[in-house]
Amino acid sequence: MIVKDIECVNFRNIKKTRLEFSGTFNIIEGMNAQGKTNLLEALHIFSLGRGFRTRKTDELVRFGEEYFFLRINGKSDTKVEFGIEFGYEKGGKARVSVNGNRLSSLSDMIGIIPTVIFTPGDVELASGPPAGRRLFIDYTGAQISPAFLSDLGEFKRTLKHRNSLLRKISTGGGGIEELGVWNETFVSRGAALTRGRREMLSEIEDAACGIYSRIMPSGEKLGIRYRSSFYEGNDTAEDDLKEALRRVSQAELRRGYSLAGPQYDDIELSLDGASIRRFGSQGRKRLAAIVMKLSQAVVIMQRRAERPVVLLDDIFSELDAGISRKVRELISDRYQSFITSPKKEAFSDIPAGSALFAVENGSFSLRN
Amino acid sequence: MNYELPLLQKLIGHFKKLPGVGEKTAQRLTFAVLDMQGGEVTDFAETLQQVKEKVRFCNRCGNLSEEETCRICNDRSRVKGVLCIVERPSDIYILERSGKYRGGYHVLHGVLSPLDGIGPGELNLSGLKKRVEEEEITELIIATNPSIEGDTTSLFILKMFEGKGVKVTRLARGIPLGSTLEFVDKGTISKALEGREPL
């Protein structure tokens, strides 16, 4: 997938701009708070239908304006040209059209532009809290499989319902008679999500091991394992989740929210069998995070037969020069990428065919 | 200077409250009202009022009715002993269009949804229990929507009648008739794959 150009109107601090991109590296440089990341966020809109720094789309509208509008033109790896428009009016619903055809639901847009995004917070992916790793796998699955996306959405909604019911019961508002059927729905949707995540992760592990050994040819063996809070892979996930709910049922009724299920699952990363989170050095933790993201790109490419677009938000300043160079090699081989950077020095060896943009106060200019 | 007419604006405002009607459509509807004959407008206005006054829920099945009991419940030619359970009265009209179903209906007026504070007590379930006993119902066909809430509600109804000698079935889901795979959304396809049947 290649994004050929973008048009942004009233998006974040961008008043109006139209940019043509390189099919390989696109480097966006500028001082802080000038709008570098805003351009990545505009591209990200076409991946998930929302920004990555906020869940409130209203915040994406330029200050003092009522709407924003984005349009991209691109070409798939099979050489099919496409154009996508995304319009949003404050307090309203997004209007998305693909090649002039209005989409009925925003979720139909997910996955059209496969995207891998790397933000500064992601260096904590391997070592930070489990929520980040769950998000990583869900985001991968959502872009690859509509069935996974629908399982994920159904589970999340069931969890909200169930928590709401448990809260009501715990505060004496009644509702115990319908808890049984919500438990059944929770078990079926929770088990489906867990199975989907495990399958997804075994593909990610294969890709990640390959990438790790390319960056660290004489290094350790990387392991990635889905660590379910209730399912060991022996019986059916349904039976295990049912059993887990039974164990916590009294505590749930007291505390008023769900205490078992895939919302507590995690991914365990290891080097030669030793947990990275517990025993890894700072450098290894960051490297593992990068490898996870790069393997996400590989899995998306394998499953979708379409190369994802890679968005890198100021991450090279966090990495040492050697690893940084290897990562750039791995990306430049295959993907169109968009890289923000506060300083030019980070790219002393900009490859031919790249585009370099400078941004100042929401205005972009092509530098090469 | 504002040249807008207050009455006209008021009517436009009323039309805009209707689902699917925006500013432009509301204006068109308003001008269409202006073009109506005198008697036509009176009838239109009176009908609006009467609909609100006279249409209520059938005391047996919960369908919309202008009488105590609705026409479907009163129709002696309909098959006894089978009830189709729907979320709202409008679903009955959709099922009736098929002409295939000749049994009775029961409207729940909603589905289980803790997030909206809807539990079994908020649904027309006690009426259903009573009917199953009194009308000697042998089969319940659950036609709630294929959503989390619809699925959970159908489970609840299934449990209600477990071991009571009532057959409980659920509408099948999958690829719509007459459409090709190309035009079916991805969610439906994955559900249809899950629910595939041996030939």
Side-chain angles (χ1 to χ4, degrees):
Chain A
M1 182 82 60
I2 299 287
V3 177
K4 293 198 296 190
D5 56 65
I6 191 167
E7 191 184 329
C8 308
V9 179
N10 296 338
F11 186 81
R12 292 274 197 189
N13 76 338
I14 305 169
K15 190 169 166 40
K16 191 174 193 327
T17 195
R18 194 181 165 281
L19 300 172
E20 284 184 23
F21 296 127
S22 155
T24 57
F25 270 118
N26 293 277
I27 298 156
I28 303 129
E29 55 169 42
M31 306 289 282
N32 282 333
Q34 300 300 308
K36 298 187 296 286
T37 306
N38 294 347
L39 184 65
L40 295 199
E41 197 156 34
L43 289 162
H44 187 265
I45 285 275
F46 292 95
S47 165
L48 279 196
R50 57 176 163 85
F52 57 83
R53 287 178 299 179
T54 176
R55 285 180 157 269
K56 299 189 187 101
T57 307
D58 274 4
E59 288 176 11
L60 301 177
V61 178
R62 187 167 185 266
F63 185 75
E65 301 288 347
E66 286 305 308
Y67 74 98
F68 73 78
F69 174 81
L70 301 169
R71 185 211 317 266
I72 56 169
N73 289 303
K75 197 161 75 174
S76 75
D77 290 352
T78 49
K79 309 279 182 247
V80 178
E81 309 250 340
F82 62 86
I84 309 178
E85 293 178 1
F86 191 106
Y88 178 82
E89 204 170 334
K90 257 190 186 168
K93 269 190 168 178
R95 296 168 70 99
V96 190
S97 55
V98 177
N99 297 331
N101 300 314
R102 174 100 184 261
L103 298 184
S104 55
S105 141
L106 198 57
S107 67
D108 289 343
M109 191 177 78
I110 295 174
I112 293 183
I113 307 282
T115 307
V116 171
I117 179 163
F118 210 120
T119 65
D122 287 331
V123 297
E124 305 293 325
L125 187 57
S127 52
R133 288 182 288 279
R134 286 194 296 269
L135 200 63
F136 161 80
I137 189 147
D138 290 346
Y139 183 58
T140 313
Q143 295 195 68
I144 288 174
S145 155
F148 184 93
L149 182 61
S150 117
D151 286 346
L152 178 65
E154 291 199 343
F155 172 74
K156 283 187 169 173
R157 198 164 163 75
T158 307
L159 178 62
K160 277 189 191 162
H161 275 308
R162 190 169 184 272
N163 283 343
S164 169
L165 183 61
L166 286 169
R167 201 176 315 123
K168 190 174 148 198
I169 297 170
S170 72
T171 53
I176 197 94
E177 56 169 337
E178 74 244 53
L179 184 59
V181 286
W182 282 109
N183 284 352
E184 283 193 36
T185 304
F186 186 81
V187 164
S188 74
R189 303 315 195 271
L193 179 62
T194 301
R195 269 194 300 272
R197 281 177 174 173
R198 280 173 63 105
E199 280 169 26
M200 200 67 60
L201 204 66
S202 72
E203 288 183 46
I204 287 175
E205 173 165 29
D206 290 344
C209 288
I211 292 166
Y212 191 82
S213 61
R214 274 184 73 179
I215 298 178
M216 292 273 154
S218 54
E220 314 89 331
K221 184 174 174 353
L222 177 72
I224 301 184
R225 204 171 65 90
Y226 190 73
R227 200 192 185 108
S228 172
S229 52
F230 60 90
Y231 180 47
E232 290 304 328
N234 301 320
D235 304 318
T236 69
E238 278 84 355
D239 288 344
D240 284 358
L241 185 49
K242 214 179 284 173
E243 176 57 26
L245 283 186
R246 203 189 52 73
R247 279 197 302 269
V248 296
S249 65
Q250 291 305 316
E252 283 188 332
L253 292 178
R254 261 197 324 274
R255 290 165 67 175
Y257 61 92
S258 300
L259 294 173
Q263 74 278 21
Y264 294 108
D265 290 358
D266 197 358
I267 296 168
E268 171 95 359
L269 291 116
S270 60
L271 288 174
D272 283 344
S275 159
I276 292 181
R277 200 160 46 84
R278 289 165 64 197
F279 306 113
S281 66
Q282 199 58 26
R284 283 293 191 269
K285 286 175 180 168
R286 288 185 171 177
L287 181 59
I290 299 229
V291 170
M292 282 169 84
K293 285 288 180 171
L294 290 172
S295 60
Q296 182 179 40
V298 170
V299 170
I300 290 175
M301 186 164 70
Q302 285 167 350
R303 285 282 291 266
R304 294 277 312 274
E306 188 72 57
R307 294 170 302 155
V309 169
V310 177
L311 309 177
L312 301 167
D313 189 17
D314 188 20
I315 63 149
F316 290 115
S317 51
E318 306 275 350
L319 301 171
D320 74 57
I323 288 182
S324 183
R325 201 185 59 246
K326 280 181 174 167
V327 170
R328 289 217 312 270
E329 279 168 17
L330 280 168
I331 291 169
S332 68
D333 277 2
R334 306 174 168 185
Y335 314 108
Q336 182 187 31
S337 57
F338 297 84
I339 303 163
T340 64
S341 170
K343 50 186 189 293
K344 211 170 189 168
E345 303 86 79
F347 297 97
S348 47
D349 50 346
I350 294 170
S354 308
L356 180 66
F357 300 95
V359 54
E360 209 181 327
N361 196 17
S363 302
F364 293 79
S365 52
L366 186 63
R367 281 296 163 83
N368 62 336
Chain B
M1 192 61 198
N2 188 352
Y3 299 104
E4 282 174 354
L5 302 176
L7 258 179
L8 222 53
Q9 284 307 314
K10 195 174 165 192
L11 185 57
I12 291 174
H14 278 301
F15 279 129
K16 262 169 68 176
K17 285 184 202 149
L18 300 174
V21 178
E23 179 75 29
K24 272 186 189 160
T25 309
Q27 280 175 14
R28 275 176 53 205
L29 294 174
T30 303
F31 285 113
V33 170
L34 284 178
D35 285 341
M36 282 181 188
Q37 306 294 321
E40 222 180 331
V41 178
T42 316
D43 191 45
F44 185 24
E46 279 173 2
T47 309
L48 282 176
Q49 211 166 5
Q50 284 176 356
V51 160
K52 190 62 198 165
E53 279 168 15
K54 295 197 174 151
V55 177
R56 56 192 138 168
F57 296 130
C58 167
N59 63 4
R60 190 175 299 165
C61 73
N63 186 14
L64 291 173
S65 175
E66 293 179 25
E67 319 293 332
E68 287 272 296
T69 323
C70 76
R71 291 191 168 183
I72 294 177
C73 285
N74 284 333
D75 184 347
R76 284 162 180 274
S77 74
R78 296 194 71 113
V79 178
K80 304 278 174 233
V82 185
L83 290 181
C84 179
I85 299 169
V86 296
E87 287 181 23
R88 45 199 85 259
S90 52
D91 297 332
I92 292 182
Y93 292 87
I94 295 162
L95 284 153
E96 279 300 291
R97 276 207 311 250
S98 74
K100 173 99 178 163
Y101 179 68
R102 294 293 300 157
Y105 288 98
H106 192 81
V107 186
L108 295 174
H109 294 289
V111 274
L112 292 178
S113 179
L115 280 171
D116 304 303
I118 299 176
E122 278 69 38
L123 303 178
N124 185 13
L125 287 169
S126 54
L128 178 65
K129 208 168 173 188
K130 214 170 109 198
R131 287 185 75 189
V132 168
E133 285 160 13
E134 287 175 1
E135 298 175 33
E136 294 172 0
I137 302 296
T138 54
E139 182 176 1
L140 293 173
I141 302 168
I142 303 178
T144 52
N145 285 313
S147 59
I148 285 288
E149 296 80 6
D151 287 355
T152 308
T153 307
S154 75
L155 271 176
F156 191 85
I157 295 170
L158 180 70
K159 303 250 158 192
M160 265 175 78
F161 297 102
E162 227 164 33
K164 299 243 167 81
V166 183
K167 184 178 166 196
V168 181
T169 55
R170 180 96 204 266
L171 285 193
R173 50 172 74 173
I175 311 286
L177 212 63
S179 66
T180 56
L181 284 179
E182 191 183 358
F183 296 108
V184 178
D185 73 273
K186 44 199 186 182
T188 306
I189 293 202
S190 66
K191 288 291 174 207
L193 272 172
E194 280 172 19
R196 65 190 185 274
E197 289 169 351
L199 282 170

